[in-house]
Amino acid sequence: EVVQLEDEEAERKSLDGYNELERLHKKSLYDQTLFELELENIFKTDKPDEVWMISPWVKHAFVKKRISQFEPLLKAGKRIFIAYSESEPDSKGNMQEMVSSQAQAEIKRLHEKYPNFYCAELPPFHTKHVLEVKNGQCVLFNGSFNVLSFEAISRDGKVRREEMALVHHQTAIAKHQEYINVFTEIYIKNATADLKNLEPEKIAKYK
């Protein structure tokens, strides 16, 4: 099923120069199981220039599933961006653990090994976005699937009732630029803080 976007003329202009084989065709709506298959398609078939995953928690699924999807693209020089939420208090007032210790260790490893892997902690949010970018095309999915913390089928064999929907391409382009701006600001802030803490003789070697 190829989605018929609202503004067909705008779509034609935005995709001008791409033949039918180069365009990224997606369904309009996915349940969680189908979206897990779509993620496999994104990483193994589409092989986009960039993948962005924005999800509040980073836990079991990141360690078990996502890393094995990320690394082939990272080794090919593609860029992966992930973002998770700052901690918020739960109903009892206890601060939630947004990133498990295992996931934190893997984030650190990826960050040290691949200069094209980016990670940021954002102010508290509950958005779940997956964005792929290839040859200038932006495809954005939005929904309820926590892509960095859950798999389609949980460890106890249960299937969660989650959905992801395709977002209009103009919104996808705008959201991509928004995330670029947010990550740029965070990375500049972190680099500035790092430089302030370096000894003068080490600043010249900083990269």
Side-chain angles (χ1 to χ4, degrees):
E1 176 188 359
V2 178
V3 177
Q4 298 298 315
L5 300 177
E6 298 171 3
D7 188 348
E8 294 183 359
E9 179 63 17
E11 181 192 22
R12 184 190 65 76
K13 290 179 180 178
S14 68
L15 297 176
D16 188 36
Y18 298 107
N19 63 43
E20 190 69 14
L21 294 177
E22 291 173 323
R23 289 177 55 183
L24 298 171
H25 294 279
K26 305 295 177 182
K27 293 169 58 102
S28 60
L29 185 66
Y30 300 77
D31 64 22
Q32 187 164 331
T33 302
L34 288 177
F35 194 69
E36 191 67 68
L37 294 175
E38 178 58 36
L39 289 175
E40 287 291 315
N41 177 66
I42 288 171
F43 285 102
K44 293 183 178 179
T45 304
D46 291 352
K47 298 178 181 178
D49 304 315
E50 299 175 11
V51 176
W52 299 69
M53 286 191 167
I54 314 298
S55 190
W57 296 274
V58 187
K59 296 194 175 183
H60 174 75
F62 177 77
V63 176
K64 182 181 177 183
K65 188 77 175 178
R66 304 298 169 228
I67 291 173
S68 63
Q69 294 173 324
F70 288 0
E71 291 210 75
L73 283 189
L74 291 169
K75 289 175 181 176
K78 311 299 185 179
R79 292 184 290 183
I80 304 287
F81 300 78
I82 69 168
Y84 58 88
S85 174
E86 290 180 1
S87 182
E88 288 186 287
D90 59 22
S91 58
K92 296 181 179 179
N94 300 315
M95 298 304 289
Q96 300 181 62
E97 179 190 65
M98 308 307 291
V99 184
S100 69
S101 56
Q102 260 192 313
Q104 192 65 62
E106 285 299 316
I107 289 172
K108 184 175 184 293
R109 181 183 69 81
L110 292 176
H111 222 286
E112 292 175 348
K113 185 173 182 180
Y114 301 103
N116 47 331
F117 174 76
Y118 305 87
C119 177
E121 180 184 71
L122 305 183
F125 70 87
H126 289 275
T127 301
K128 292 89 177 179
H129 281 164
V130 172
L131 174 66
E132 68 168 314
V133 181
K134 183 174 183 178
N135 296 330
Q137 301 172 76
C138 293
V139 176
L140 174 65
F141 300 96
N142 175 57
S144 60
F145 183 7
N146 289 289
V147 291
L148 295 176
S149 55
F150 289 104
E151 293 181 88
I153 301 177
S154 64
R155 282 176 284 183
D156 57 9
K158 295 180 180 179
V159 177
R160 297 170 60 88
R161 294 180 62 85
E162 310 289 358
E163 291 184 342
M164 295 295 279
L166 183 66
V167 177
H168 192 277
H169 74 284
Q170 291 178 333
T171 302
I173 292 169
K175 186 60 66 173
H176 179 230
Q177 187 58 56
E178 176 186 324
Y179 283 137
I180 288 174
N181 295 343
V182 169
F183 269 65
T184 299
E185 182 178 344
I186 290 172
Y187 269 75
I188 289 174
K189 182 179 178 180
N190 291 342
T192 301
D194 288 345
L195 284 171
K196 286 181 179 178
N197 293 326
L198 282 177
E199 297 174 6
E201 61 272 17
K202 294 183 180 179
I203 291 180
K205 300 178 181 179
Y206 184 84
K207 28 176 180 174

